[in-house]
Amino acid sequence: MAHVLNNQGKSVLLVDNDKQGNLSKLFGVYQDDVESGSAKLLRGWYKSINDLRVVLPGYAGLDIIPANMSLLQATNDLTVAADADQVERFKPLLQAYPLEPEKTYDYVIIDNPPDLGLNVINALAVSDDVIVPTKVDAWALEGLDTIIDQVESMKQINNKLQFTGALVTMWQNDDANRAGLEWLHEKGYKLFNTVIWYGKAAAESTFFGKTITEYKPRSWTARDYKRFVAEYQELTGQGVR
Ligand SMILES: Nc1ncnc2c1ncn2[C@@H]1O[C@H](COP(=O)(O)OP(=O)(O)OP(=O)(O)O)[C@@H](O)[C@H]1O
Ligand SMILES: [Mg+2]
């Protein structure tokens, strides 16, 4: 998503908010022996955004705040620091353009883990849209209700927050997928019309440290991501016409 937007000429800040750091690994900025940018952001250990973000070489206007396991300790420490501000730690992201405080990124995309730890609550506190990528299997779908409920309750803190939709990924046109999708529609879940097809290129791209739209721009998966971004922009009134 970030790469598709960046290709449209948009400036994008990616925030890896998952202690596994897979996003950081994809962009070759994962380090395991330091306090990561997202951990520092949560702790407030920085003077400016420049202490947190990495400017990715080879992209104009695509920056990333990396993660690693240090995010777990930062989250735990914040959870027990009941007297500190526990939910608005990510607010500085909204004025985060490097060296130009009056300028903001066109998009800030926060990649969250599949849980609702305090680092995720902080992400929800500053977000406009929540997109939930999901496979069509029972366990993945069970989590959807929990996330939608959490988004609803977070509206008390952030009234701009909306559940934009679930994005079905790793789609294969078989009985199980079709039945699961039908079930989602019947239950009235907000879904993107676009589904991301299962494709080998997605897994392969991780070995090359490239986004799917860079690694195989003409693959089905890359095509689906472009369609998804266009749909997202239409849906949120930012359509490119
Ligand atoms: N459309 C796809 N087709 C095939 N494989 C995919 C597709 N999308 C993602 N994958 C593979 O599935 C794995 C998980 O993908 P991804 O990291 O996007 O999911 P995730 O739910 O965020 O996982 P994590 O919990 O590790 O962050 C990766 O190995 C990725 O290469
Ligand atoms: Mg992930």
Side-chain angles (χ1 to χ4, degrees), residues 10-125:
K10 310 286 190 202
S11 63
V12 182
L13 176 65
L14 271 171
V15 183
D16 193 350
N17 200 25
D18 185 340
K19 61 187 180 306
Q20 284 191 84
N22 288 345
L23 187 66
S24 310
K25 286 174 190 161
L26 184 76
F27 285 103
V29 296
Y30 180 85
Q31 282 182 284
D32 62 7
D33 50 355
V34 296
E35 189 77 13
S36 72
S38 50
K40 287 188 199 164
L41 176 64
L42 205 61
R43 291 182 182 279
W45 290 358
Y46 57 93
K47 290 212 172 63
S48 83
I49 190 76
N50 294 315
D51 300 331
L52 307 175
R53 75 192 165 105
V54 178
V55 175
L56 293 170
Y59 304 88
L62 179 57
D63 302 342
I64 181 169
I65 297 182
N68 63 20
M69 274 296 159
S70 66
L71 183 58
L72 180 61
Q73 192 62 47
T75 305
N76 290 346
D77 288 351
L78 188 61
T79 307
V80 296
D83 51 339
D85 159 35
Q86 286 181 305
V87 293
E88 297 199 323
R89 296 278 166 157
F90 282 12
K91 264 210 163 147
L93 292 177
L94 303 175
Q95 297 96 33
Y97 206 82
L99 306 176
E100 295 174 78
E102 74 284 358
K103 208 174 153 195
T104 55
Y105 285 93
D106 294 319
Y107 292 91
V108 179
I109 304 178
I110 308 176
D111 181 29
N112 291 302
D115 64 46
L116 288 164
L118 207 44
N119 58 323
V120 177
I121 302 297
N122 273 270
L124 294 176

Side-chain angles (χ1 to χ4, degrees), residues 132 134 136 166-171 177 181 184 191 194-196:
V132 181
T134 183
V136 181
L167 175 65
V168 169
T169 68
M170 302 224 211
W171 168 263
N177 271 272
L181 191 62
L184 281 169
L191 293 174
T194 310
V195 299
I196 311 291

